[in-house]
Amino acid sequence: MMHTILVATEKPFARVAVDGIAAIAKEAGLEFRLLEKYPDKETLLKAVGDADALIVRSDIVDKAVIQAANKLKIVVRAGAGYDNIDLEAATAKSVVVMNTPGQNANAVAELTFGMMIYLNRNFFNGTSGVELRGKTLGLHAYGHVGRVIGLIGRGMGMDVFANDPYVEKIFIENDGVKYVPEKKDLYRTCQYVVVCLPASTETRESIDYTLMSSMPEGATLVNPARKEVIHEPSLLKIFAERKDFRYITDVAPNCNEQLKNEYGNRYYATPKKMAAQTEEANINAGLAAARQIVNYLEKGDRTFQVN
Ligand code: 3PG
């Protein structure tokens, strides 16, 4: 019987990426279905009913979704972070979960610099701003995203440092980046710290008062990752205490309105998570997801399985 592949994306991929996924599905003899900008959970629950394979982005794939998907064999998160997927529920139903590491890293890195420059040039209001060249840049985690940010930062003449207990010192140093064994020293030293962490039980609310308050004069915390990694009461406290502290993020925190209203000259959050929203990233991640599904269904290839 023909297998069905469903692309369920509340935030749609670029058309060219959707066409590419459809072509891969067709070539492999899979039926292709598309559910974009769905209005509510009910619609998603209904749509997954006959899906053998599912491609999502930040869409919430919780227990209810997994249970409603009776034929489901594989879910691929077209992107890096899979904190939106209930791995336990998937494993309990023998559903394989994968991500597509690295495929959207460049898009995220470029937007990170876009946000930094936007803030440094006073939201493009024409008044005199500051430059990134010659400043210290700290990468909190050196995965795919951190690595590209480091590369761009070096190209812009920044002095780049990284902390990541899961990456070998030699790997970081070979990229011309200074290795910092302790994260507290990264925050203490760097004028710009970019958080490149996944959201997990280990990282949740881990950027706390101690780290933020240790940052140097005029420091900027940059978050293209997940709002959950920031301890928001500490963030509010720092903003109240330090007039020099700045925060820019691709994921609005729960306290967005307050920060915007009270500290709008040194705070910015994108209106909707958009760092990975480029044609190229959509093509890279979407097509990789489709190929991983085909390889799993045809050959049992479990590369990039995360559960
Ligand atoms: C990721 O984890 O890959 C990024 O945060 C991008 O998420 P998105 O697919 O929802 O844009």
Side-chain angles (χ1 to χ4, degrees), residues 137-138 140 186-187 190-195 215 220-223:
L137 172 66
H140 187 174
L186 192 84
Y187 282 76
C190 294
Q191 290 158 297
Y192 295 81
V193 172
V194 185
V195 182
M215 291 180 78
T220 307
L221 184 63
V222 188
N223 183 5

Side-chain angles (χ1 to χ4, degrees), residues 11 57-58 77-81 104 108 224-226 273 276-277:
K11 180 173 56 189
R57 298 184 63 177
S58 290
R77 193 285 190 236
N104 58 19
V108 176
R226 293 289 182 274
K273 187 172 176 232
Q277 194 64 323

Side-chain angles (χ1 to χ4, degrees), residues 24-37:
I24 290 172
K26 189 171 172 208
E27 164 95 28
L30 300 170
E31 184 165 335
F32 174 76
R33 298 247 173 91
L34 181 63
L35 175 70
E36 290 181 329
K37 291 189 193 169

Side-chain angles (χ1 to χ4, degrees), residues 72-254:
L72 194 63
K73 293 155 191 63
I74 176 168
V75 183
V76 182
R77 193 285 190 236
Y82 45 87
D83 47 306
N84 52 320
I85 300 178
D86 186 333
L87 296 188
E88 223 171 273
T91 306
K93 278 195 80 182
S94 302
V95 173
V96 167
V97 180
M98 295 180 182
N99 65 349
T100 65
Q103 300 289 356
N104 58 19
N106 187 68
V108 176
E110 285 192 17
L111 188 90
T112 301
F113 281 92
M115 291 195 299
M116 284 158 71
I117 292 170
Y118 187 52
L119 180 71
N120 278 0
R121 297 305 183 92
N122 305 319
F123 312 104
F124 297 161
N125 71 0
T127 61
S128 194
V130 290
E131 300 182 18
L132 291 170
R133 188 182 176 84
K135 306 295 184 326
T136 44
L137 172 66
L139 306 169
H140 187 174
Y142 202 71
H144 294 278
V145 173
R147 196 172 185 208
V148 185
I149 292 175
L151 186 75
I152 298 174
R154 273 167 34 84
M156 295 184 83
M158 299 186 83
D159 196 7
V160 185
F161 300 77
N163 165 264
D164 192 326
Y166 299 102
V167 178
E168 297 227 5
K169 183 174 184 237
I170 183 82
F171 182 84
I172 291 174
E173 287 180 345
N174 277 346
D175 285 346
V177 172
K178 295 178 183 84
Y179 176 78
V180 182
E182 298 286 337
K183 71 178 171 194
K184 67 174 178 15
D185 294 323
L186 192 84
Y187 282 76
R188 198 175 47 76
T189 318
C190 294
Q191 290 158 297
Y192 295 81
V193 172
V194 185
V195 182
C196 308
L197 293 168
S200 66
T201 41
E202 186 191 342
T203 63
R204 211 163 287 267
E205 301 195 328
S206 64
I207 314 302
D208 58 11
Y209 185 77
T210 310
L211 289 177
M212 287 188 248
S213 63
S214 73
M215 291 180 78
E217 170 81 27
T220 307
L221 184 63
V222 188
N223 183 5
R226 293 289 182 274
K227 68 176 180 181
E228 288 81 2
V229 302
I230 306 289
H231 185 248
E232 290 196 20
S234 299
L235 184 65
L236 285 167
K237 191 165 183 250
I238 290 289
F239 263 96
E241 281 176 8
R242 280 180 53 172
K243 287 198 167 38
D244 64 301
F245 187 87
R246 311 188 303 167
Y247 182 56
I248 41 181
T249 180
D250 183 39
V251 275
N254 299 331

